[in-house]
Amino acid sequence: MDSRIERVCETFKNRFGHEPTHVVRAPGRVNLIGEHTDYNQGFVLPMAIDRDILVAASPREDKAVSLYAMQYGTSSLFSLDLVRHSRSNWSNYVRGTVAVFMGSGHSLKGFNAVFEGNIPQGGGLSSSAALEVAFSLLLSELNDLSIDRLVLAQLARRAENEFVGVQCGIMDQFVSLFGKKDSAIFLDCRDLSHKNIPLVLDRYGLKLVLVDSGVKRGLIESAYNARRLECEQGVALLRTKLGRKEIKSLRDVSSAEFTSLAESLPETICKRSWHVISENERVKEAVDALEKGDFGTFGLLLNHSHESMRDDFEASCPEIDLFVQLAQGVPGVLGSRMTGAGFGGCTISLVKANSLDLFRSRVIDPYQRRTGHRAEMMIFSAVDGASSLPL
Ligand code: GLA
């Protein structure tokens, strides 16, 4: 057994006095391209990564839920009869998941659970979605509900929307469940159809380098919800101005249509809408490029996506802009951008394997010197989505 799993099971046994009956894991994700497009019914290209949440659990006879978070060393206890918000942030993701399951008519047993995670938090790698997905899968297994994966993704997302209060899209929960080893997932967030896009970069002498900028995302919830609202305002205005009732989301507006009346829109709404419309195009072009093995084009699309997030969606921050600018100037770096919701967090860069040392000396070192932030570099790979592990 993997040593992390052993530790989680051991901690469970020490706290509850018996072995767990279930262990599940749910991965975090990196979004390659397609930012803030998911809740606009657009396209995204994320991958599940080899950083995850592990939960060991067993059912109880009563209605209590007793939780212990190893990385915080804190516990939380509540009753299924009254699921209220907690002051402990992590516990709300679990409470939210429990609440939406019960709200959807599933009757649940109480349970004991211990969890541990190695996904950097507040870095745009979806540690919270992984927690919601891990507990969704766990609740389905513990209560023999056999819930379909797509429904699990939707329940996990509702936990975030309805209980935690972030109006996120479906991307993070979806990829945490549907991720595929050595592939990115091209997801259409309108009909939820998806296609696995093989991504074996080593064969081409390339690496995807993830760097945590060390900038923790501030006010992410309110900024995120505000951006979402601006996109909705964009839809309403475009629908009226174009006189097309069938426009339900920014996805339904072509670049040509948008350009024809961009000048008549309020500046902020215009910029937010253009980010989403152009980003959808970039995702489709990125999939094409990857399928042809054209990594040069793929890299350029990463750069353009960053510019759009910085200038039009205004969801970047000066430190990350500096990082990306340094990275884009290094020979052997094909593209670089911030990943995730924004306002801080992680960057991804597509780098030739033989340029990694140069990347370190010309990007990581000067970034750390100039910003005072520690920048942690990780090379990661795409893994399968959430699973229940044999004991
Ligand atoms: C967060 C949300 C996702 C998505 C991204 C931005 O990760 O949870 O639904 O909107 O931001 O692309």
Side-chain angles (χ1 to χ4, degrees):
M1 214 195 278
D2 171 306
S3 65
R4 272 180 68 223
I5 304 177
E6 264 171 30
R7 270 202 313 277
V8 176
C9 291
E10 201 45 46
T11 309
F12 182 95
K13 201 171 156 197
N14 292 338
R15 277 195 89 77
F16 299 110
H18 59 88
E19 304 280 348
T21 54
H22 293 75
V23 175
V24 299
R25 63 162 269 285
R29 65 102 187 89
V30 159
N31 189 20
L32 296 178
I33 193 164
E35 227 59 272
H36 291 269
T37 45
D38 62 349
Y39 56 82
N40 286 300
Q41 301 190 7
F43 302 101
V44 291
L45 187 65
M47 59 202 259
I49 56 170
D50 49 355
R51 298 294 178 106
D52 56 30
I53 301 275
L54 280 176
V55 189
S58 71
R60 294 173 58 121
E61 297 299 324
D62 58 11
K63 292 268 174 195
V65 174
S66 177
L67 306 167
Y68 180 68
M70 285 171 67
Q71 72 252 54
Y72 309 113
T74 53
S75 57
S76 185
L77 179 70
F78 63 95
S79 163
L80 293 175
D81 289 329
L82 185 61
V83 186
R84 281 196 298 211
H85 284 82
S86 149
R87 253 179 292 161
S88 119
N89 207 15
W90 62 262
S91 168
N92 284 326
Y93 295 105
V94 183
R95 289 168 188 240
T97 308
V98 166
V100 294
F101 266 68
M102 294 200 303
S104 310
H106 297 297
S107 84
L108 301 180
K109 298 176 192 147
F111 61 96
N112 296 325
V114 166
F115 74 89
E116 187 263 349
N118 61 5
I119 310 169
Q121 283 160 42
L125 303 181
S126 294
S127 54
S128 48
L131 196 53
E132 291 149 359
V133 165
F135 276 88
S136 298
L137 184 59
L138 179 73
L139 292 180
S140 174
E141 304 267 321
L142 271 182
N143 297 284
D144 294 319
L145 301 173
S146 305
I147 300 178
D148 176 89
R149 278 187 174 243
L150 187 53
V151 177
L152 284 181
Q154 285 160 333
L155 287 167
R157 175 198 180 180
R158 281 181 49 203
E160 181 99 23
N161 291 169
E162 295 169 19
F163 199 87
V164 178
V166 179
Q167 299 307 315
C168 67
I170 189 93
M171 164 168 72
D172 307 344
Q173 292 81 4
F174 187 96
V175 70
S176 182
L177 279 150
F178 286 88
K180 266 279 156 286
K181 188 170 161 42
D182 295 330
S183 299
I185 310 296
F186 175 37
L187 170 65
D188 177 337
C189 298
R190 170 165 277 171
D191 64 10
L192 300 180
S193 59
H194 73 286
K195 184 176 175 193
N196 301 337
I197 309 295
L199 197 68
V200 193
L201 296 171
D202 282 341
R203 206 177 288 157
Y204 299 89
L206 293 169
K207 297 274 181 205
L208 261 177
V209 181
L210 182 73
V211 179
D212 190 338
S213 68
V215 181
K216 291 286 169 221
R217 306 178 304 174
L219 295 177
I220 179 74
E221 289 162 23
S222 54
Y224 187 94
N225 290 348
R227 291 296 184 282
R228 184 167 178 152
L229 203 67
E230 288 161 353
C231 292
E232 279 162 20
Q233 290 166 346
V235 175
L237 276 173
L238 287 162
R239 188 191 298 126
T240 313
K241 286 184 184 278
L242 288 165
R244 289 210 290 116
K245 281 207 211 70
E246 63 282 12
I247 294 178
K248 299 267 184 305
S249 75
L250 292 171
R251 153 86 171 271
D252 300 318
V253 179
S254 71
S255 330
E257 275 178 321
F258 181 82
T259 318
S260 69
L261 48 74
E263 287 202 335
S264 68
L265 295 172
E267 192 186 345
T268 303
I269 304 293
C270 176
K271 283 160 70 170
R272 307 297 187 254
S273 306
W274 180 237
H275 165 73
V276 174
I277 294 169
S278 60
E279 184 80 348
N280 275 330
E281 289 304 314
R282 283 187 287 274
V283 177
K284 289 187 277 181
E285 288 169 29
V287 169
D288 254 20
L290 285 181
E291 288 186 325
K292 288 187 193 129
D294 178 358
F295 294 102
T297 299
F298 179 68
L300 285 178
L301 289 162
L302 298 183
N303 293 347
H304 294 158
S305 171
H306 185 77
E307 269 163 41
S308 184
M309 278 284 276
R310 182 191 63 204
D311 301 338
D312 289 337
F313 216 64
E314 295 177 283
S316 186
C317 63
E319 294 88 339
I320 293 200
D321 292 340
L322 170 69
F323 184 97
V324 165
Q325 190 198 344
L326 290 168
Q328 290 177 356
V330 173
V333 174
L334 277 62
S336 182
R337 64 179 284 269
M338 177 181 62
T339 183
F343 309 102
C346 289
T347 57
I348 46 165
S349 306
L350 185 63
V351 185
K352 290 191 178 152
N354 56 15
S355 300
L356 285 177
D357 288 342
L358 206 58
F359 186 82
R360 218 173 256 116
S361 63
R362 296 240 207 125
V363 185
I364 304 275
D365 296 347
Y367 172 83
Q368 299 192 135
R369 262 198 320 275
R370 287 169 65 175
T371 64
H373 288 292
R374 217 175 99 75
E376 217 169 312
M377 181 163 147
M378 302 169 251
I379 308 277
F380 59 92
S381 46
V383 300
D384 286 333
S387 55
S388 186
L389 304 175
L391 278 170

Coordinates of all heavy atoms in Angstrom, one line a residue, residues 29 31 34-36 38-39 168-172 224 340-341, ligand 1:
R29 N -6.7 19.6 -10.3 CA -6.5 19.7 -11.7 C -5.7 20.9 -12.1 O -5.5 21.9 -11.3 CB -7.9 19.8 -12.4 CG -8.7 21.1 -12.0 CD -8.7 22.1 -13.1 NE -9.3 23.4 -12.7 CZ -8.7 24.4 -12.1 NH1 -7.4 24.3 -11.8 NH2 -9.3 25.5 -11.8
N31 N -5.8 23.6 -15.4 CA -6.5 23.9 -16.6 C -5.5 24.4 -17.6 O -4.8 25.4 -17.4 CB -7.6 25.0 -16.3 CG -8.5 25.2 -17.5 OD1 -8.5 24.3 -18.4 ND2 -9.1 26.3 -17.6
G34 N -8.8 27.8 -21.4 CA -10.3 27.9 -21.3 C -10.6 28.4 -19.9 O -11.1 27.6 -19.1
E35 N -10.3 29.6 -19.6 CA -10.5 30.2 -18.3 C -11.8 31.0 -18.2 O -12.0 31.9 -19.1 CB -9.3 31.0 -17.9 CG -8.7 30.7 -16.6 CD -8.3 29.2 -16.3 OE1 -9.1 28.4 -15.9 OE2 -7.1 29.0 -16.6
H36 N -12.6 30.8 -17.2 CA -13.9 31.5 -17.0 C -14.8 31.2 -18.2 O -15.7 32.1 -18.4 CB -13.7 33.0 -16.7 CG -13.0 33.2 -15.4 ND1 -13.7 33.4 -14.2 CD2 -11.7 33.2 -15.0 CE1 -12.9 33.6 -13.2 NE2 -11.6 33.5 -13.7
D38 N -16.3 28.0 -18.4 CA -17.2 26.9 -18.1 C -18.6 27.4 -17.7 O -19.6 26.9 -18.1 CB -16.6 26.0 -17.0 CG -16.2 26.6 -15.7 OD1 -16.3 27.9 -15.6 OD2 -15.9 25.8 -14.7
Y39 N -18.6 28.5 -16.8 CA -20.0 28.9 -16.4 C -20.6 29.8 -17.5 O -21.7 30.3 -17.3 CB -19.9 29.7 -15.1 CG -19.0 30.8 -15.0 CD1 -19.3 32.1 -15.5 CD2 -17.7 30.7 -14.5 CE1 -18.4 33.1 -15.5 CE2 -16.8 31.7 -14.4 CZ -17.2 33.0 -14.9 OH -16.3 34.0 -14.9
C168 N -19.2 28.8 -9.1 CA -18.2 28.2 -10.0 C -19.0 27.4 -11.1 O -20.1 27.1 -10.9 CB -17.3 27.3 -9.3 SG -18.1 25.8 -8.6
G169 N -18.3 27.1 -12.2 CA -18.8 26.2 -13.2 C -18.5 24.8 -12.9 O -18.2 24.5 -11.7
I170 N -18.6 23.9 -13.9 CA -18.5 22.5 -13.6 C -17.1 21.9 -13.9 O -16.8 20.8 -13.5 CB -19.6 21.7 -14.5 CG1 -19.7 20.2 -14.2 CG2 -19.2 21.8 -16.0 CD1 -20.8 19.9 -13.2
M171 N -16.2 22.7 -14.5 CA -15.0 22.1 -14.9 C -14.2 21.3 -13.9 O -13.8 20.2 -14.1 CB -14.1 23.3 -15.4 CG -12.6 22.9 -15.5 SD -11.6 24.1 -16.4 CE -11.5 25.4 -15.2
D172 N -14.0 21.9 -12.7 CA -13.1 21.3 -11.7 C -13.6 20.0 -11.2 O -12.9 19.0 -11.1 CB -12.9 22.3 -10.5 CG -12.5 23.6 -10.9 OD1 -12.1 23.8 -12.1 OD2 -12.6 24.6 -10.1
Y224 N -14.7 36.5 -8.1 CA -15.2 35.5 -9.0 C -16.7 35.7 -9.4 O -17.1 35.8 -10.5 CB -15.0 34.1 -8.4 CG -15.3 33.0 -9.3 CD1 -14.3 32.4 -10.1 CD2 -16.6 32.5 -9.5 CE1 -14.6 31.3 -10.9 CE2 -16.9 31.5 -10.3 CZ -15.9 30.9 -11.1 OH -16.2 29.8 -11.9
G340 N -6.2 28.7 -13.8 CA -7.3 28.7 -12.7 C -8.0 30.0 -12.7 O -7.9 30.8 -13.6
A341 N -8.8 30.2 -11.6 CA -9.7 31.4 -11.5 C -8.9 32.7 -11.6 O -9.5 33.7 -12.1 CB -10.4 31.3 -10.2
Ligands
GLA1 C1 -12.4 28.1 -10.8 C2 -13.9 27.6 -10.9 C3 -14.1 26.9 -12.3 C4 -13.6 27.9 -13.4 C5 -12.3 28.5 -13.1 C6 -11.9 29.5 -14.1 O1 -11.5 27.1 -10.8 O2 -14.1 26.6 -9.9 O3 -15.4 26.5 -12.4 O4 -14.6 28.9 -13.6 O5 -12.2 29.0 -11.8 O6 -11.7 29.0 -15.4

